[in-house]
Structure formats: C-alpha cells, structure tokens
Amino acid sequence: MRPIRAASLGTATALVALLACAPVVSATATDADPAPKKDRGQVIVLTGRLAEQSRFPVNPGGAPAQGDRTVFRSVLFDQDGNEVGETGGTCTTTRVANGGAEECVVTYVLPGGQLTVQGMVFGHLVPGPPPSFDNAITGGTGKYDRARGSVHADTIATGTRRFTIDLQR
C-alpha cells in the first residue's frame, strides 16, 4: 500500500504543479490584448545660441595641443523661439592630427530636469563651421530620470546649433 500512496502523492504533486503553471502558459499563448507599450521616448528639437565660451590652451599662443580645454554655455530655445533652458559643458582635445578630436561632457538644463550628455566630436580643428556630431545621453534628473538616447547637433549659423534630442526612457 505504501508504494501506491507514494506514487499517488508524486503524481498528485506533479499534477498540481502542472495545473498551477497551465494558466500562465495559456494566458501567455492566447492573450489577445497585448500589454500597453511603455513610453518609448520622444524627440525634442532645440536651438542653442552660444552665450559664453572660454578656451584654456596647453600652449598659449601656440599650436593646438592634446589637453586644450574649452568651457561653454549656450541658451536653448524651442521651435517657437521661446527660451527653455541652457547647456553648460567642457570639451578637452584628445587628438590634434587629422582634424582633431575632443571629448565633451555637457549638461542640458530643461523644464522639469536635466540631461547629461557625453561623447566625441571629430574635426573641431578643421577650418569652417563646427562639424555635426552625435553624443550619448548618459542620464538625467527630474522628468528625465534614467533617460537614455542620443543628441545630434548641427551648426546652422555662427554660434548657433540645432540639437535633436532622441530621448529614450
């Protein structure tokens, strides 16, 4: 009798486990209403006008060098021309050959919070308008908490850039 009871208990346990899992498998396999999609992000287009800029060269009066630093601040405007925030940051030259390269760290102060952005800018030593670049959003505060994504910047006039912020949350 004991062997039959043990077998029945084992079968019953297996059946309970199978039935407990069945609704989950069934709901997953037959669920006609997908879960609501998370906010996948948004695109914000702003214009930045250079307000202040200071350069700190390694070789004052000499050729550009690795370690040259630029500190800047720009005022940000929305597409209607309303002032909506500012940026502040630093860029450090990491390469002077082949048009130059610099590593930049920038904070965008916007209504409701801040975004931090970091990345490389290539060709900053080439004569002419500053080059376009893409940098990574590394974080944020307030309504931009845990933000990710990228910022694309294009020079549209002397001292003026268009920033396209592709914000992922």
PDB file of all heavy atoms in Angstrom, residues 10-23:
ATOM      1  N   GLY A  10       3.203  11.520  -5.496  1.00  0.00           N
ATOM      2  CA  GLY A  10       4.096  12.081  -6.522  1.00  0.00           C
ATOM      3  C   GLY A  10       3.321  12.522  -7.737  1.00  0.00           C
ATOM      4  O   GLY A  10       3.535  13.593  -8.295  1.00  0.00           O
ATOM      5  N   THR A  11       2.356  11.757  -8.159  1.00  0.00           N
ATOM      6  CA  THR A  11       1.533  12.108  -9.321  1.00  0.00           C
ATOM      7  C   THR A  11       0.680  13.331  -9.004  1.00  0.00           C
ATOM      8  O   THR A  11       0.534  14.236  -9.816  1.00  0.00           O
ATOM      9  CB  THR A  11       0.633  10.914  -9.712  1.00  0.00           C
ATOM     10  OG1 THR A  11       1.468   9.785  -9.970  1.00  0.00           O
ATOM     11  CG2 THR A  11      -0.193  11.226 -10.927  1.00  0.00           C
ATOM     12  N   ALA A  12       0.106  13.344  -7.802  1.00  0.00           N
ATOM     13  CA  ALA A  12      -0.716  14.490  -7.407  1.00  0.00           C
ATOM     14  C   ALA A  12       0.119  15.769  -7.362  1.00  0.00           C
ATOM     15  O   ALA A  12      -0.316  16.829  -7.829  1.00  0.00           O
ATOM     16  CB  ALA A  12      -1.354  14.229  -6.045  1.00  0.00           C
ATOM     17  N   THR A  13       1.329  15.678  -6.820  1.00  0.00           N
ATOM     18  CA  THR A  13       2.211  16.847  -6.766  1.00  0.00           C
ATOM     19  C   THR A  13       2.542  17.329  -8.174  1.00  0.00           C
ATOM     20  O   THR A  13       2.501  18.522  -8.470  1.00  0.00           O
ATOM     21  CB  THR A  13       3.505  16.505  -5.994  1.00  0.00           C
ATOM     22  OG1 THR A  13       3.140  16.061  -4.695  1.00  0.00           O
ATOM     23  CG2 THR A  13       4.418  17.706  -5.897  1.00  0.00           C
ATOM     24  N   ALA A  14       2.831  16.394  -9.052  1.00  0.00           N
ATOM     25  CA  ALA A  14       3.145  16.751 -10.441  1.00  0.00           C
ATOM     26  C   ALA A  14       1.938  17.384 -11.117  1.00  0.00           C
ATOM     27  O   ALA A  14       2.058  18.369 -11.853  1.00  0.00           O
ATOM     28  CB  ALA A  14       3.622  15.534 -11.214  1.00  0.00           C
ATOM     29  N   LEU A  15       0.741  16.848 -10.863  1.00  0.00           N
ATOM     30  CA  LEU A  15      -0.476  17.385 -11.464  1.00  0.00           C
ATOM     31  C   LEU A  15      -0.762  18.797 -10.955  1.00  0.00           C
ATOM     32  O   LEU A  15      -1.104  19.679 -11.735  1.00  0.00           O
ATOM     33  CB  LEU A  15      -1.652  16.444 -11.157  1.00  0.00           C
ATOM     34  CG  LEU A  15      -2.990  16.811 -11.802  1.00  0.00           C
ATOM     35  CD1 LEU A  15      -2.853  16.880 -13.312  1.00  0.00           C
ATOM     36  CD2 LEU A  15      -4.060  15.805 -11.415  1.00  0.00           C
ATOM     37  N   VAL A  16      -0.591  19.025  -9.641  1.00  0.00           N
ATOM     38  CA  VAL A  16      -0.797  20.365  -9.069  1.00  0.00           C
ATOM     39  C   VAL A  16       0.181  21.352  -9.694  1.00  0.00           C
ATOM     40  O   VAL A  16      -0.174  22.460 -10.084  1.00  0.00           O
ATOM     41  CB  VAL A  16      -0.675  20.328  -7.526  1.00  0.00           C
ATOM     42  CG1 VAL A  16      -0.582  21.731  -6.955  1.00  0.00           C
ATOM     43  CG2 VAL A  16      -1.858  19.595  -6.937  1.00  0.00           C
ATOM     44  N   ALA A  17       1.442  20.940  -9.806  1.00  0.00           N
ATOM     45  CA  ALA A  17       2.441  21.816 -10.411  1.00  0.00           C
ATOM     46  C   ALA A  17       2.089  22.121 -11.862  1.00  0.00           C
ATOM     47  O   ALA A  17       2.192  23.259 -12.326  1.00  0.00           O
ATOM     48  CB  ALA A  17       3.827  21.173 -10.325  1.00  0.00           C
ATOM     49  N   LEU A  18       1.631  21.115 -12.592  1.00  0.00           N
ATOM     50  CA  LEU A  18       1.264  21.310 -13.989  1.00  0.00           C
ATOM     51  C   LEU A  18       0.076  22.256 -14.119  1.00  0.00           C
ATOM     52  O   LEU A  18       0.078  23.171 -14.927  1.00  0.00           O
ATOM     53  CB  LEU A  18       0.930  19.946 -14.624  1.00  0.00           C
ATOM     54  CG  LEU A  18       0.517  19.986 -16.087  1.00  0.00           C
ATOM     55  CD1 LEU A  18       1.681  20.490 -16.941  1.00  0.00           C
ATOM     56  CD2 LEU A  18       0.077  18.611 -16.557  1.00  0.00           C
ATOM     57  N   LEU A  19      -0.947  22.059 -13.264  1.00  0.00           N
ATOM     58  CA  LEU A  19      -2.127  22.925 -13.312  1.00  0.00           C
ATOM     59  C   LEU A  19      -1.800  24.352 -12.874  1.00  0.00           C
ATOM     60  O   LEU A  19      -2.374  25.307 -13.383  1.00  0.00           O
ATOM     61  CB  LEU A  19      -3.250  22.338 -12.462  1.00  0.00           C
ATOM     62  CG  LEU A  19      -3.863  21.042 -12.996  1.00  0.00           C
ATOM     63  CD1 LEU A  19      -4.872  20.493 -11.991  1.00  0.00           C
ATOM     64  CD2 LEU A  19      -4.511  21.289 -14.343  1.00  0.00           C
ATOM     65  N   ALA A  20      -0.900  24.485 -11.922  1.00  0.00           N
ATOM     66  CA  ALA A  20      -0.516  25.824 -11.459  1.00  0.00           C
ATOM     67  C   ALA A  20       0.172  26.599 -12.573  1.00  0.00           C
ATOM     68  O   ALA A  20       0.011  27.806 -12.693  1.00  0.00           O
ATOM     69  CB  ALA A  20       0.394  25.716 -10.246  1.00  0.00           C
ATOM     70  N   CYS A  21       0.911  25.903 -13.401  1.00  0.00           N
ATOM     71  CA  CYS A  21       1.626  26.569 -14.498  1.00  0.00           C
ATOM     72  C   CYS A  21       0.745  26.769 -15.723  1.00  0.00           C
ATOM     73  O   CYS A  21       0.990  27.642 -16.528  1.00  0.00           O
ATOM     74  CB  CYS A  21       2.858  25.758 -14.896  1.00  0.00           C
ATOM     75  SG  CYS A  21       4.109  25.755 -13.618  1.00  0.00           S
ATOM     76  N   ALA A  22      -0.286  25.960 -15.867  1.00  0.00           N
ATOM     77  CA  ALA A  22      -1.105  25.993 -17.068  1.00  0.00           C
ATOM     78  C   ALA A  22      -1.729  27.361 -17.342  1.00  0.00           C
ATOM     79  O   ALA A  22      -1.666  27.849 -18.462  1.00  0.00           O
ATOM     80  CB  ALA A  22      -2.179  24.918 -16.994  1.00  0.00           C
ATOM     81  N   PRO A  23      -2.342  28.023 -16.353  1.00  0.00           N
ATOM     82  CA  PRO A  23      -2.935  29.321 -16.654  1.00  0.00           C
ATOM     83  C   PRO A  23      -1.905  30.334 -17.158  1.00  0.00           C
ATOM     84  O   PRO A  23      -2.196  31.133 -18.025  1.00  0.00           O
ATOM     85  CB  PRO A  23      -3.535  29.771 -15.324  1.00  0.00           C
ATOM     86  CG  PRO A  23      -3.748  28.524 -14.553  1.00  0.00           C
ATOM     87  CD  PRO A  23      -2.649  27.613 -14.998  1.00  0.00           C
TER      88      PRO A  23
END
